Amino acid sequence: MTDIAQDFTSLSNETANSQKSGDGNRKPVIQLLTTADLSEALSAGLRDFRASAPYGLFFGGFYALGGWFLAWLLSAYNMPYLVYPLASGFALIAPFVAAGLYEVSRRRQEGEALSPGHIFGAVFGERSKELRWMALITGFAFIIWIDIAIFLYVIFFGLHPVNPAELVNTILLTPQGAMFLLAGNLIGAVLSVAVFSITAISFPMLLHKDIDFITAMITSIKCVMANKKTMLSWAIFIGFLMMISLASFLLGLVVILPLLGHATWHLYRRAVTFESGETAN
């Protein structure tokens, strides 16, 4: 027991020492946000998109192509009932896909040169290790959402596959379909709120600062709780743009993803400062 206690003490000391190095000793401080901050973050995001359009269009196009491929795959395996949940749940992994866009905005804001090597390697460097842990968490949430969608389909329609046209008619024209749609959207909304709370600013923070992903998630939750109305408006706006993307068969993602990605960076910079005295802007 003594040896175990000594090992635990040693591990705790090593962790404390590692947190004192780099940015780990800079405690994040939440700032109060207003709708004006949202507008200014969107304006700054639009400027970044215009100034570095090839990067934005690449990430947006890649994301849309990924959605089309998955939709085709589900149709090929006679699982069309998962196309809508997959498309709507795609937003859960968008913050990680947008990591390259955060890097573009960071470099523009700090006056650093843009290069494909730095941008596309933003999530693969040693410092981005914690960012990849966050990606696992959001990926796990996405898998849970798909599992829930399958479970709901089995409850309402059984194990027999339904062709797409019949499924659409059933959902839109029958009480059973309406209940299925209502249950799915309500559960999806709850899961989306939970994921939004832990990712609203955590991904750009992990790209910006050398901190652990637990601290980033806690800071993100605190930011959402401290700015409920503003962050709710931001979440609704994101949801509205995602509905536009779904209505355009994901084509809108080519523009919407980079706009939201750049804007998220600037919103993070307004939402968090650090005890060292660093300003958000």
Side-chain angles (χ1 to χ4, degrees), residues 48-100:
D48 285 348
F49 184 24
R50 288 175 174 174
S52 55
Y55 292 110
L57 293 175
F58 173 84
F59 285 108
F62 179 80
Y63 196 55
L65 285 174
W68 291 331
F69 173 75
L70 290 175
W72 171 82
L73 201 62
L74 292 175
S75 298
Y77 282 92
N78 200 25
M79 300 172 70
Y81 56 89
L82 285 181
V83 171
Y84 175 75
L86 180 101
S88 58
F90 225 41
L92 299 177
I93 58 175
F96 175 71
V97 178

Side-chain angles (χ1 to χ4, degrees), residues 16 28 33 52 76 86 91 101 120 155 163 165 196 198 205 230 236 244 280:
L33 300 172
S52 55
L86 180 101
L101 300 169
F120 295 115
I155 289 177
N163 67 68
F196 174 79
I198 66 174
M205 180 184 293
T230 303
I236 291 173
I244 292 177

